[in-house]
């Protein structure tokens, strides 16, 4: 179960996995198991019909039991506004990073703002992020820059997190901390 805010800073759980591995489903299970009011910070931007459809389906799948805040770039500022005793699902750090890369923003300063906001968040946070370090080396410079930046972001988030859960084929496994009780009861669908 997700703990409420701990004395040494916010309770942070990082959920890592490959594309379509079941990360978001695992993160949602963790949020529901907390029995706290749920806030969903969405970082996706809809630039085409495929992405609009994917976002619409995610909203339907989540249902009305979430307060959704769209923050493709301003996650740090959004986290500062969260009241205590909520559970926040940040989905996902990968799209947040992509948005900043494409906007040609300073990734190091944006990452530090995010890390600071996570440390000071008044509620527990579950972060979804893609693991990209197990693939091939991309052939173009932007893709290589993304891969390096994503790896650095994931390492920094994992360092700050109390718990890091990996997901492969929809199955969770613990990388840091202890596997939350909500994930021990069997295979999530």
């Amino acid at each position: 179960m997700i703990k409420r805010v701990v004395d040494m800073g916010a309770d942070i759980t990082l959920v890592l996995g490959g594309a379509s591995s079941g990360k978001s489903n695992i993160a949602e299970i963790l949020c529901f198991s907390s029995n706290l009011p749920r806030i969903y910070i969405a970082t996706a931007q809809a630039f085409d019909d495929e992405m609009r459809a994917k976002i619409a389906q995610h909203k339907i799948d989540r249902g009305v039991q979430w307060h959704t805040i769209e923050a493709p770039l301003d996650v740090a500022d959004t986290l500062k506004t969260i009241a205590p005793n909520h559970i926040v699902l940040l989905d996902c750090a990968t799209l947040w990073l992509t948005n900043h890369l494409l906007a040609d923003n300073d990734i190091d300063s944006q990452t530090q703002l995010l890390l600071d906001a996570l440390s000071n968040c008044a509620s527990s946070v579950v972060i979804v992020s893609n693991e990209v370090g197990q693939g091939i080396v991309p052939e173009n410079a932007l893709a290589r820059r993304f891969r390096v930046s994503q790896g650095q972001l994931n390492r920094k988030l994992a360092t700050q997190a109390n718990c890091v859960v990996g997901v492969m084929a929809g199955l969770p496994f613990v990388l840091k901390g202890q596997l939350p009780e909500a994930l021990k009861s069997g295979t999530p669908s």
Side-chain angles (χ1 to χ4, degrees):
M1 174 174 279
I2 299 293
K3 299 174 282 190
R4 294 178 195 250
V5 177
V6 292
D7 292 338
M8 58 190 211
D11 185 51
I12 300 169
T13 301
L14 176 62
V15 180
L16 289 170
S20 297
S21 63
K23 302 177 301 292
S24 293
N25 184 47
I26 294 295
E28 289 173 8
I29 290 169
L30 291 173
C31 291
F32 273 105
S33 73
S34 74
N35 294 314
L36 294 170
R38 289 172 292 285
I39 298 172
Y40 186 97
I41 300 177
T43 60
Q45 297 183 82
F47 294 118
D48 59 26
D49 289 340
E50 180 183 356
M51 194 58 165
R52 278 188 279 284
K54 185 174 183 175
I55 290 170
Q57 188 61 53
H58 271 265
K59 287 179 180 177
I60 291 167
D61 292 346
R62 276 196 312 273
V64 297
Q65 302 165 5
W66 294 84
H67 172 67
T68 299
I69 301 170
E70 294 186 16
L73 294 166
D74 299 325
V75 172
D77 288 338
T78 300
L79 287 169
K80 293 175 188 175
T81 69
I82 305 298
N85 298 317
H86 286 75
I87 185 88
V88 177
L89 175 53
L90 170 55
D91 197 355
C92 77
T94 304
L95 288 175
W96 171 85
L97 175 68
T98 300
N99 296 338
H100 281 288
L101 278 170
L102 294 177
D104 204 27
N105 292 334
D106 181 337
I107 299 304
D108 291 336
S109 67
Q110 291 299 321
T111 298
Q112 192 57 55
L113 288 171
L114 175 62
L115 294 172
D116 292 345
L118 286 166
S119 289
N120 295 313
C121 188
S123 285
S124 297
V125 182
V126 177
I127 305 164
V128 174
S129 191
N130 284 10
E131 174 53 57
V132 297
Q134 297 176 347
I136 61 171
V137 176
E139 69 179 53
N140 70 72
L142 177 60
R144 287 190 301 274
R145 182 175 175 221
F146 165 75
R147 185 180 68 118
V148 168
S149 297
Q150 184 67 60
Q152 291 171 343
L153 176 62
N154 285 346
R155 287 192 302 273
K156 290 174 182 177
L157 291 171
T159 296
Q160 195 161 336
N162 307 81
C163 178
V164 179
V165 176
V167 180
M168 187 177 288
L171 300 173
F173 52 93
V174 69
L175 295 167
K176 179 181 178 183
Q178 295 195 7
L179 193 64
E181 285 298 320
L183 301 179
K184 292 180 181 178
S185 61
T187 306
S189 57

